[in-house]
Amino acid sequence: MKISVVGVCFLLLGSTFFFLSLQYPFGFLTKIGPGFFPSIISGILIVLSVVVWMADKQPVQCIDFRSIVVVFLSILSFVLFVYFFNLIAGCLAMAVMYFCGFRDVK
Amino acid sequence: MLSSLIWGLEQAVSLENIIYCFVGVFLGTVVGVIPGLGPGTTLAILLPSTFYLPVTGSIIMMSGVYYGAQYGGSTTAILMKVAGEGTSIPTIAEGNILAKNGKAGLALSIAALSSFLSGVIVTILICFFITYFAELVLKFGPSEYVCLGLLAIFGSIFLSNRGNFLQTSCLLSIGLLFGSVGLDPFTGYQRFTLGILDLYDGVGIAAFAIGTIAIGEVLKNLSLKDCQKSIEKITTLYPSKEDLRRSVAPTLRGTAVGTVLGLLPGGALFSSFASFFIEKKFSKYKNEFGKGAIEGVAGPEAANNAGAQSSFIPTLTIGVPPNAAMAMVLGAMTIHGLIPGPQFILQSQSVFWVLLASMLIGNLLLLILNLPLVGIWTKLLSIPKKYLNFLILLLCCIGVYKLNSSVFETSLIMFFGIIGFIVVYYDLDVVSMIIGFLIGPMIEEQFRRAMMMSKGSLDIFWNSEINIILFIVLLFLFSSIKIYKKWV
């Protein structure tokens, strides 16, 4: 059986939220606790994502993985340079990273 | 009401507000023309900058972007068979055939005129009915708000333009869960904050929207191959009397359909399709469909503009955004401390009436911008994607950072960018996630309040006439979608 990546991602997110929400009091209908809403929603998400997993939806877009790496590295360089230096350095670092990554793209 | 609108017009024609309106409709036209840069993405990018603008000006500008994009989308749909905006897809069918038959100018002018007419009609309708709507919403208690939230949630699932209920429901749940991050308003518990101080106030709407919508769009734009489309030549822009006569009824029908559907979640997108099929089935000239019928341009264009403007009603009076663009307008309002709801019209009268009046001016500006400058808009498509996407990326990062000067929040857009990327990669509907994120906290708060009032009894939901009407609307929505899908 093929694994639907989107189903797995939804399941991972749902499970993370579900296990975290178990730490918060669930409460009763008369006095609903902070864990009530998130645990129900994440429970629904887990069930739905299992169904999505089974449905095995395949990607429809053909995405160039270099674009993803370059975009994320550009944002990362912006964040790091802003943190250690300033905003202008962040913008410059982002531009350098982006245009180096796409130098052969017209 | 009329005096309030006139007062609003007086304020809206001030130089400052006209500039904001012009910037908004100009940007809207630009993003409507360029495929892959919809109003939702643009408004997400603009959202942090609104913090530095006056409240009225920023909302006028954001609204201008939204309805301006509806105009801009029709230009590329007619001339190049490219849908800059999802709502322009139905216009391609007849508009491009007309252009190929040497009637590009006619199709463009009818599209602009029908959009203008429907925009003016809907603005006047909003002016007369919004106070009644607000009075009705004043009767809403916690249980009614919960049902309304559920209507918005199920509505966005049913009307999802990707048509996949399961995955849309998953995205809605993810939006709801991210909306619950932060301090619990009732008990003060830290939920999902992982001990990070920046998350105590919850995930910022700007980081969430920019990450999921804008970064996802950038990745999609960079991965799609450029294709050179031929541009049809524009002949005379003046329609004949016969063309104008034939366009009146479809414009009015389109306006009616758009006004009603714009109130529903996802309805604005759905409205242009609905209008197109209504014209195709019931128009006096239905035999001309497929050969270039002007009704197939006038109806959908009127419907999408009417839908865009009537979607302001649920956003302003209830605080339930029917689409991503309205969600961003709502975000801008909350950044400025304005709380949308029935009290909004009473407490923020100055903002409301000026916004409404600015829509009239905005529609007029769009008419002037769209027809004579049509050649310039088509040239925008020749800008290399590489530079355009860099600009978007840079604006996103600067915007999120400058909002709170928070590096953590800026890095959050990478995390949400991954989610946005998965959503784009699998061609899912990101709008439902934003709707879930925005209305989740409202539903939770009102549900807990309703349960406290009813001492834990769920009967509170059945004992209200408004709730029963809302359930009937939900059933109607569900069945009409089924009928529509069969019909199409």
Side-chain angles (χ1 to χ4, degrees):
Chain A
M1 192 183 83
K2 282 182 188 171
I3 295 173
S4 165
V5 180
V6 72
V8 176
C9 294
F10 289 164
L11 189 63
L12 276 173
L13 264 177
S15 312
T16 312
F17 271 104
F18 186 73
F19 287 112
L20 286 172
S21 61
L22 289 180
Q23 298 170 9
Y24 316 127
F26 193 79
F28 314 95
L29 271 182
T30 41
K31 200 181 177 203
I32 292 169
F36 182 89
F37 191 72
S39 47
I40 288 178
I41 300 292
S42 51
I44 293 172
L45 179 60
I46 290 171
V47 175
L48 287 174
S49 55
V50 170
V51 184
V52 171
W53 188 345
M54 301 298 171
D56 187 28
K57 184 174 166 96
Q58 291 303 309
V60 289
Q61 304 276 349
C62 276
I63 286 194
D64 167 24
F65 280 90
R66 185 181 66 164
S67 307
I68 303 160
V69 175
V70 173
V71 165
F72 283 108
L73 282 178
S74 305
I75 303 173
L76 187 67
S77 50
F78 175 87
V79 169
L80 290 175
F81 274 76
V82 167
Y83 185 72
F84 288 110
F85 302 101
N86 55 31
L87 186 63
I88 297 165
C91 296
L92 286 173
M94 187 184 199
V96 170
M97 184 60 78
Y98 182 89
F99 288 109
C100 283
F102 289 119
R103 63 185 179 278
D104 54 332
V105 179
K106 280 184 183 173
Chain B
M1 272 168 286
L2 209 59
S3 58
S4 305
L5 185 65
I6 291 166
W7 176 84
L9 265 172
E10 283 168 7
Q11 303 300 311
V13 291
S14 71
L15 184 67
E16 192 190 2
N17 286 334
I18 284 190
I19 290 171
Y20 285 124
C21 190
F22 178 79
V23 171
V25 294
F26 182 84
L27 279 176
T29 311
V30 171
V31 301
V33 168
I34 301 170
L37 191 64
T41 312
T42 315
L43 291 178
I45 299 166
L46 282 178
L47 186 62
S49 68
T50 58
F51 184 66
Y52 303 97
L53 301 178
V55 57
T56 316
S58 58
I59 293 169
I60 286 176
M61 187 176 74
M62 292 184 91
S63 313
V65 171
Y66 179 44
Y67 57 78
Q70 317 297 325
Y71 271 76
S74 63
T75 309
T76 43
I78 291 166
L79 294 180
M80 303 175 73
K81 217 177 174 180
V82 171
E85 252 295 279
T87 48
S88 308
I89 296 169
T91 313
I92 291 179
E94 295 306 310
N96 193 250
I97 296 172
L98 278 166
K100 282 200 163 77
N101 294 345
K103 291 181 180 172
L106 166 72
L108 283 168
S109 56
I110 291 294
L113 286 171
S114 55
S115 292
F116 173 73
L117 190 65
S118 76
V120 172
I121 294 172
V122 176
T123 306
I124 293 166
L125 282 177
I126 295 176
C127 163
F128 282 103
F129 289 105
I130 200 147
T131 40
Y132 297 111
F133 205 78
E135 273 171 28
L136 176 76
V137 180
L138 271 175
K139 292 178 185 155
F140 277 38
S143 74
E144 284 81 7
Y145 272 109
V146 173
C147 289
L148 198 71
L150 292 178
L151 177 73
I153 281 183
F154 285 111
S156 66
I157 294 174
F158 295 154
L159 292 169
S160 160
N161 56 338
R162 302 295 192 273
N164 195 319
F165 291 1
L166 266 177
Q167 276 131 357
T168 311
S169 311
C170 284
L171 290 173
L172 252 166
S173 311
I174 293 170
L176 289 168
L177 287 169
F178 279 113
S180 67
V181 173
L183 289 179
D184 175 38
F186 284 78
T187 57
Y189 250 84
Q190 293 171 30
R191 290 193 298 194
F192 314 115
T193 56
L194 309 170
I196 301 166
L197 200 67
D198 293 82
L199 286 177
Y200 280 24
D201 282 339
V203 175
I205 172 71
F208 187 77
I210 282 180
T212 52
I213 304 178
I215 304 296
E217 280 298 332
V218 166
L219 290 171
K220 186 179 165 186
N221 291 345
L222 284 168
S223 62
L224 293 177
K225 283 179 184 161
D226 272 315
C227 49
Q228 287 295 318
K229 288 265 184 182
S230 60
I231 303 174
E232 304 298 335
K233 280 189 178 164
I234 303 161
T235 48
T236 176
L237 281 169
Y238 300 104
S240 65
K241 269 187 185 171
E242 171 66 7
D243 293 321
L244 284 174
R245 193 189 58 77
R246 276 178 61 172
S247 305
V248 173
T251 302
L252 294 177
R253 278 194 290 265
T255 307
V257 169
T259 309
V260 175
L261 288 175
L263 301 172
L264 305 170
L269 178 75
F270 189 61
S271 63
S272 55
F273 287 89
S275 167
F276 181 78
F277 287 108
I278 285 172
E279 293 308 320
K280 206 174 169 182
K281 293 263 173 191
F282 300 111
S283 169
K284 227 199 275 183
Y285 303 94
K286 59 185 172 194
N287 297 336
E288 288 184 26
F289 271 76
K291 298 168 200 158
I294 198 68
E295 289 79 6
V297 175
E301 282 302 312
N304 77 42
N305 206 34
Q309 285 188 231
S310 73
S311 58
F312 277 88
I313 299 177
T315 309
L316 297 178
T317 53
I318 315 166
V320 174
N323 52 45
M326 280 293 101
M328 295 303 108
V329 175
L330 200 64
M333 287 166 74
T334 41
I335 284 176
H336 282 281
L338 291 175
I339 302 156
Q343 297 293 337
F344 171 75
I345 299 157
L346 303 171
Q347 290 171 355
S348 311
Q349 287 210 12
S350 57
V351 181
F352 175 73
W353 290 107
V354 178
L355 170 67
L356 210 59
S358 80
M359 286 186 196
L360 287 173
I361 295 166
N363 276 295
L364 193 65
L365 284 173
L366 279 167
L367 198 64
I368 300 164
L369 269 178
N370 269 266
L371 290 180
L373 302 179
V374 70
I376 296 171
W377 304 128
T378 50
K379 284 205 177 80
L380 281 173
L381 289 152
S382 56
I383 298 174
K385 273 186 192 169
K386 189 167 84 166
Y387 300 108
L388 193 68
N389 286 315
F390 174 70
L391 191 68
I392 297 172
L393 214 54
L394 190 68
L395 289 174
C396 288
C397 290
I398 295 175
V400 175
Y401 175 70
K402 287 298 281 179
L403 194 60
N404 292 319
S405 296
S406 162
V407 174
F408 176 77
E409 211 164 312
T410 319
S411 54
L412 265 187
I413 67 170
M414 281 195 283
F415 173 71
F416 291 119
I418 295 169
I419 297 176
F421 159 67
I422 295 169
V423 170
V424 170
Y425 192 46
Y426 285 88
D427 196 29
L428 304 178
D429 197 3
V430 70
V431 177
S432 40
M433 196 153 64
I434 304 288
I435 290 177
F437 179 81
L438 273 168
I439 63 172
M442 183 272 278
I443 295 178
E444 184 187 8
E445 192 184 329
Q446 300 293 354
F447 182 75
R448 287 166 85 170
R449 206 165 275 163
M451 285 298 99
M452 272 193 249
M453 280 166 67
S454 68
K455 296 188 175 128
S457 166
L458 290 169
D459 287 346
I460 191 169
F461 293 103
W462 314 116
N463 295 339
S464 154
E465 287 169 8
I466 295 172
N467 283 352
I468 292 166
I469 294 169
L470 290 173
F471 282 125
I472 292 169
V473 172
L474 188 65
L475 279 175
F476 169 75
L477 201 66
F478 182 66
S479 50
S480 61
I481 291 298
K482 288 273 175 199
I483 293 165
Y484 170 78
K485 281 187 177 161
K486 274 187 186 171
W487 195 29
V488 173

